[in-house]
Amino acid sequence: AIPTLYNEWLGYEVVGRGNVDTDIAASWGAPNSAGRPYVVMQPESGADVYIRAVEIDPVPDYKAMTTWGWNAIEIICDDPDAVYKKLVDSPFTHLGGPAGLTNYPSIRATQFKGIAEDVLYLTAETGDRTNSLLPRAGAFIGRIFIMVVAGPDIQALQDFYADAFDMERGPVRNSPVDLINVAQGLPLGSERPLTTLRLAQHGNLFELDGYGDHTGPRPSNEGQLPPGVAITSVTVKNLGDIK
């Protein structure tokens, strides 16, 4: 179902499929994901940034953006308003936007959720793309350029990624994110600490979100990948440089 939805509505093509290898599952800390089917999907632009969907058993209590861990995928697109018009009548659930970002009004985004509690931010530069912080889309809906991770202590989260991977820190700022407030049952306008960490390639970032005391670890089936956005893989120049 997911590959069909991503193909029909996002223009992603399946470029690989198989069953999770035992060693790979063990490296994920998810040995019971071994043998489960997966597909790898590539954006219409042909960019070598992929989305992998892996089968898990249902986790009935999971709700996106309410637990620690990876919570959203941010994808560059050409026109968020046109994306909204296309997806609003799709099986994806509209969460917010299109709207300009508070601190960067020329950057517009709309947000949707898939059938597997997979949250997608679809974002574009509407101003000068030549000098934009964002990469080029290369298609109506392009590739991932930001992965969003949440935890209870924004400073500990920043320290872990910055120290382990020698990433450039950004300032921590407090900002309301209404789609998260809605998901967590908080008043609209409630602020949370946010920051970013810059990857080597232009426009590629991790976004770090601080979640409050009312959130906790993600429920999952024992030994399987967690539901929703489970894991992020990045390319590095030399694994030996990573602590």
Side-chain angles (χ1 to χ4, degrees):
I2 288 177
T4 302
L5 286 179
Y6 273 65
N7 177 253
E8 181 176 351
W9 296 99
L10 306 181
Y12 273 61
E13 295 282 349
V14 173
V15 293
R17 62 175 71 241
N19 296 89
V20 177
D21 181 81
T22 301
D23 290 342
I24 292 288
S27 77
W28 293 342
N32 293 338
S33 285
R36 289 301 181 102
Y38 71 84
V39 296
V40 176
M41 299 173 287
Q42 184 176 30
E44 187 180 355
S45 65
D48 60 347
V49 184
Y50 306 91
I51 294 176
R52 175 174 48 200
V54 182
E55 182 188 89
I56 62 169
D57 294 325
V59 182
D61 297 333
Y62 175 60
K63 185 180 177 187
M65 298 183 295
T66 61
T67 61
W68 308 335
W70 299 103
N71 272 283
I73 295 169
E74 188 155 6
I75 294 174
I76 193 74
C77 68
D78 188 60
D79 181 348
D81 295 85
V83 169
Y84 165 77
K85 289 175 183 176
K86 178 177 181 178
L87 295 186
V88 73
D89 294 322
S90 76
F92 289 88
T93 301
H94 178 237
L95 299 178
L101 303 191
T102 302
N103 296 321
Y104 302 95
S106 70
I107 297 176
R108 284 178 69 79
T110 186
Q111 299 87 26
F112 284 83
K113 181 173 69 173
I115 60 172
E117 298 292 307
D118 43 320
V119 173
L120 307 177
Y121 298 178
L122 299 139
T123 305
E125 173 65 73
T126 62
D128 180 4
R129 294 187 176 181
T130 306
N131 296 311
S132 176
L133 299 170
L134 277 55
R136 299 291 183 96
F140 181 63
I141 296 177
R143 65 173 180 86
I144 296 169
F145 72 107
I146 297 176
M147 294 296 296
V148 183
V149 64
D153 182 336
I154 192 83
Q155 199 59 58
L157 203 58
Q158 185 184 52
D159 288 346
F160 171 77
Y161 285 102
D163 293 345
F165 303 111
D166 192 25
M167 298 174 73
E168 181 183 338
R169 300 165 189 259
V172 176
R173 63 188 186 278
N174 290 311
S175 180
V177 183
D178 281 345
L179 74 161
I180 298 178
N181 289 332
V182 170
Q184 297 181 8
L186 299 174
L188 295 182
S190 297
E191 294 188 336
R192 70 191 62 253
L194 304 173
T195 190
T196 57
L197 290 167
R198 197 171 298 280
L199 279 71
Q201 190 171 348
H202 173 75
N204 289 350
L205 304 166
F206 287 160
E207 177 184 319
L208 281 49
D209 293 353
Y211 280 11
D213 294 340
H214 58 288
T215 60
R218 186 165 307 176
S220 63
N221 297 299
E222 185 168 354
Q224 293 185 22
L225 286 174
V229 184
I231 196 167
T232 294
S233 300
V234 295
T235 303
V236 299
K237 291 179 179 177
N238 182 5
L239 281 174
D241 293 338
I242 306 297
K243 294 177 186 176

